């Protein structure tokens, strides 16, 4: 990301200041600059990209954060095409045929399609019958924890062996603490609109997919040959000198014509500010403006998470690893959230004949494990590979990435927190908040939110002192989605 400038290289007075260089901030800055605005993206670190970090290690590719994108994702597709990042795009590997779940100490291969998954012998007959009874369960309008929602609609076994490991894999979370309405809002909407999640999904899939609503190919996984960091690298190249690294924004104050920001030891002004920081960092900037809003952001939990990458030599693992990976239900007491079969999922993740896996440890389920020494974590994951997938040789590469604060955990009070944060934006026109604590943790969700914010910036009431450049940008034709 060497095209970015140090803060000392320039004076910064601009139309829009974007604080934070993760995917949300990069997308918002790129979209606004494309509309002709003067934009400065301020990043505290020396490189942009946030949690999207891809690293080559002895021929292996390690993803320290997210590993993939899922289409259809119109916003992400628009971004990839616009910043010319699509050349190295790769699809899911051809050997991904199953998804694995652990039960009774063994990894069971389950079909990818929903009907085969639910109907497999992995689940007891009672659990399958209980699942089929879901359309007859009365709807509940109020929010509830994800655990309460799953147990009520689908039964306890489905909660323990599907929803719990899914919450661990997607959120590093505990379903007993997560809000169903926040993490899976579409399921709550289906329940409300159709009276049944299964019925609502069937109607939606039939409408979209025609004769075969269960065709798994309609949701496609993809990434890039050199990892997901290809996307922030392309955005950084497109933004060029608009990115300012080593820029620590320590204060934000409203003025008559916009905002004054304290960056390192200097002040500069911006007509509009997009705060694209994690919730706990955004809270510090919001404190002087609105203490209650700052408390709402600071109160969102971000448990620690360790990402453990292992690279194995040829013939080290006797199992074909013919799936996405394996998830570990809490009731199995394995001490690991899940293991992704990285070199099966995408090509170019390991040298020819070798194998790469990525494991996730800690999260809300067992936060203390996420802080264990790297040698202990690598050993723990290797022992799981031995027990579940017949690994007979030790890995030749072992790397651990610690996220002291990982993904946000939206609890039952999350809707109230987000509403409070929206109020502070209403109180201070020209201030916008972006990030995975509002949009959702997936990369496409953050991209979609950033595009929406860029439109709101252009459509917001014009404050006194807004530049003519901003006024003209509002009248430009919007780019096609």
């Amino acid at each position: 990301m060497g095209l970015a400038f140090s803060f000392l290289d320039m004076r910064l007075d601009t139309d829009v200041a974007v604080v934070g260089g993760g995917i949300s901030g990069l997308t918002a800055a790129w979209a606004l600059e494309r509309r002709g605005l003067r934009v400065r993206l301020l990043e505290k670190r020396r490189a942009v990209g946030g949690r999207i970090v891809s690293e080559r290690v002895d021929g292996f590719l390690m993803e320290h954060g997210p590993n993939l994108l899922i289409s259809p994702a119109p916003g992400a597709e628009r971004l990839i095409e616009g910043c010319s990042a699509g050349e190295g795009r790769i699809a899911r590997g051809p050997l991904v045929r199953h998804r694995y779940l652990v039960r009774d100490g063994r990894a069971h291969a389950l079909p990818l399609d929903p009907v085969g998954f639910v109907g497999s012998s992995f689940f007891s007959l009672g659990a399958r019958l209980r699942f089929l009874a879901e359309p007859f369960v009365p709807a509940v309008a109020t929010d509830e924890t994800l655990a309460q929602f799953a147990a009520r609609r689908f039964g306890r076994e489905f909660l323990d062996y599907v929803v719990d490991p899914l919450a661990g894999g997607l959120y590093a979370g505990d379903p007993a603490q997560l809000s169903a309405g926040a993490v899976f809002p579409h399921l709550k909407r289906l329940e409300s609109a159709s009276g049944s999640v299964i019925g609502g999904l069937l109607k939606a899939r039939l409408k979209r997919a025609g004769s075969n609503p269960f065709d798994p190919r309609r949701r496609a996984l993809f990434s890039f040959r050199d990892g997901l960091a290809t996307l922030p690298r392309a955005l950084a190249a497109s933004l060029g000198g608009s990115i300012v690294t080593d820029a620590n924004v320590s204060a934000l104050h409203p003025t008559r014509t916009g905002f004054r920001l304290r960056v390192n030891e200097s002040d500069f002004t911006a007509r509009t500010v997009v705060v694209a920081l994690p919730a706990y960092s955004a809270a510090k900037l919001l404190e002087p403006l609105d203490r209650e809003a700052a408390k709402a952001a600071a109160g969102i939990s971000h448990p620690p998470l360790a990402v453990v990458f292992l690279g194995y030599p040829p013939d080290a693992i006797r199992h074909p690893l013919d799936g996405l990976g394996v998830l570990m239900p809490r009731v199995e007491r394995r001490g690991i959230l899940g293991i992704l079969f990285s070199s099966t999922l995408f090509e170019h993740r390991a040298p020819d004949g070798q194998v790469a896996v990525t494991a996730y440890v800690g999260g809300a389920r067992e936060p203390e494990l996420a802080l264990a020494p790297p040698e202990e974590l690598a050993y723990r994951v290797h022992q799981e590979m031995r027990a579940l997938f017949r690994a007979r040789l030790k890995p030749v590469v072992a790397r651990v990435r610690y996220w002291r604060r990982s993904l946000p955990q939206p609890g039952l009070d999350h809707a109230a927190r987000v509403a409070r944060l929206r109020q502070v934006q209403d109180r201070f026109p020209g201030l916008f908040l972006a990030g995975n604590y509002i949009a959702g943790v997936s990369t496409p969700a953050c991209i979609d939110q950033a595009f929406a914010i860029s439109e709101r910036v252009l459509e917001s009431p014009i404050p006194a002192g807004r530049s003519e450049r901003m006024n003209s940008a509002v009248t430009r034709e919007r780019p096609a989605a």
Side-chain angles (χ1 to χ4, degrees):
M1 318 260 176
L3 292 177
F5 287 82
S6 167
F7 174 75
L8 299 177
D9 293 334
M10 61 176 65
R11 174 72 180 171
L12 299 175
D13 294 286
T14 188
D15 292 326
V16 184
V18 178
V19 184
I23 193 63
S24 296
L26 285 166
T27 302
W30 180 85
L32 289 166
E33 189 168 272
R34 292 247 305 180
R35 301 292 290 275
L37 299 186
R38 292 178 303 154
V39 178
R40 290 290 180 263
L41 187 150
L42 308 174
E43 169 55 46
K44 184 177 181 179
R45 297 171 179 162
R46 297 209 168 190
V48 296
R51 302 293 175 101
I52 302 179
V53 182
S54 309
E55 180 186 12
R56 286 279 178 193
V57 183
D58 296 337
F60 293 90
L61 179 68
M62 177 182 179
E63 296 279 23
H64 296 260
N67 281 265
L68 53 86
L69 297 170
I70 304 177
S71 64
E77 299 283 4
R78 170 183 166 191
L79 188 66
I80 291 166
E81 180 180 359
C83 69
S84 303
E87 183 176 348
R89 177 170 171 161
I90 56 175
R92 186 185 78 188
L95 297 180
V96 177
R97 301 188 181 106
H98 304 99
R99 64 187 77 202
Y100 283 87
L101 277 169
V102 173
R103 185 162 189 167
D104 301 326
R106 293 193 306 113
H108 297 257
L110 278 73
L112 292 175
D113 69 279
V115 172
F117 178 84
V118 174
S120 72
S121 60
F122 177 86
F123 298 101
S124 69
L125 177 60
R128 282 176 273 169
L129 292 174
R130 175 64 180 81
F131 183 86
L132 292 176
E134 186 273 339
F136 305 99
V137 175
V140 171
T142 57
D143 196 13
E144 56 195 325
T145 69
L146 184 56
Q148 291 170 330
F149 174 81
R152 178 175 59 81
R153 295 220 65 87
F154 302 106
R156 182 72 202 192
E157 188 172 328
F158 192 84
L159 165 62
D160 286 342
Y161 283 97
V162 177
V163 174
D164 173 80
L166 193 63
L170 294 177
Y171 278 83
D174 178 354
Q177 300 174 16
L178 295 172
S179 156
V183 299
F184 292 129
H186 57 292
L187 297 185
K188 288 292 288 184
R189 286 195 295 268
L190 287 173
E191 179 188 34
S192 176
S194 303
S196 163
V197 173
I198 294 175
L201 287 173
L202 282 172
K203 290 177 185 177
R205 284 178 175 267
L206 284 169
K207 184 177 181 180
R208 290 197 310 265
S211 60
N212 184 5
F214 300 111
D215 186 350
R217 293 170 295 179
R218 297 190 181 276
R219 282 172 59 84
L221 311 182
F222 70 95
S223 183
F224 303 92
R225 181 187 179 96
D226 293 319
L228 276 192
T230 298
L231 182 55
R233 278 196 294 265
L235 289 168
S238 179
L239 288 165
S242 298
I243 296 176
V244 186
T245 57
D246 297 317
N248 179 31
V249 181
S250 58
L252 173 66
H253 301 286
T255 67
R256 186 183 66 85
T257 59
F259 296 88
R260 184 176 75 255
L261 295 90
R262 186 71 172 173
V263 185
N264 297 348
E265 300 301 323
S266 300
D267 290 348
F268 85 99
T269 61
R271 306 298 192 272
T272 298
V273 174
V274 178
V275 178
L277 295 171
Y280 47 84
S281 298
K284 296 176 182 178
L285 287 184
L286 294 176
E287 175 71 25
L289 303 181
D290 189 316
R291 287 188 176 181
E292 292 304 313
K295 285 174 61 178
I300 299 172
S301 173
H302 293 71
L305 181 71
V307 182
V308 184
F309 180 88
L310 300 182
Y312 286 93
D315 302 319
I317 299 175
R318 297 178 182 179
H319 192 281
L321 300 184
D322 53 345
L324 298 168
V326 60
L327 290 174
M328 318 279 196
R330 178 197 292 267
V331 294
E332 292 293 317
R333 301 183 182 277
R334 309 296 295 194
I336 290 176
L337 297 173
I339 302 174
L340 194 69
F341 303 156
S342 303
S343 54
T344 304
L345 183 56
F346 296 114
E347 296 179 345
H348 315 297
R349 294 312 190 248
D352 289 345
Q354 303 193 52
V355 172
V357 299
T358 307
Y360 302 88
V361 183
R365 186 186 294 179
E366 296 181 278
E368 67 284 350
L369 282 181
L371 306 177
E375 298 82 5
E376 178 183 333
L377 291 173
Y379 176 79
R380 178 184 289 269
V381 174
H382 175 60
Q383 290 302 107
E384 291 294 336
M385 291 299 298
R386 286 185 61 190
L388 298 174
F389 301 106
R390 295 176 289 166
R392 58 180 179 174
L393 299 177
K394 293 182 179 181
V396 293
V397 169
R399 294 286 189 277
V400 178
R401 175 64 180 255
Y402 293 95
W403 295 107
R404 302 287 176 178
R405 295 175 176 176
S406 65
L407 297 172
Q409 306 292 301
L412 287 178
D413 59 354
H414 193 70
R417 292 180 186 276
V418 171
R420 191 65 189 83
L421 291 167
R422 288 190 178 127
Q423 289 176 11
V424 75
Q425 295 175 95
D426 295 338
R427 284 186 58 204
F428 297 96
L431 174 65
F432 299 90
L433 303 177
N436 61 6
Y437 63 102
I438 297 175
V441 299
S442 76
T443 301
C446 291
I447 291 171
D448 288 344
Q449 186 208 30
F451 273 127
I453 285 176
S454 70
E455 292 300 324
R456 287 169 53 205
V457 168
L458 295 169
E459 295 171 355
S460 60
I462 301 174
R466 179 189 262 182
S467 71
E468 288 301 317
R469 187 186 298 264
M470 291 194 78
N471 295 343
S472 64
V474 173
T475 64
R476 296 187 184 190
E477 183 179 357
R478 297 181 187 174

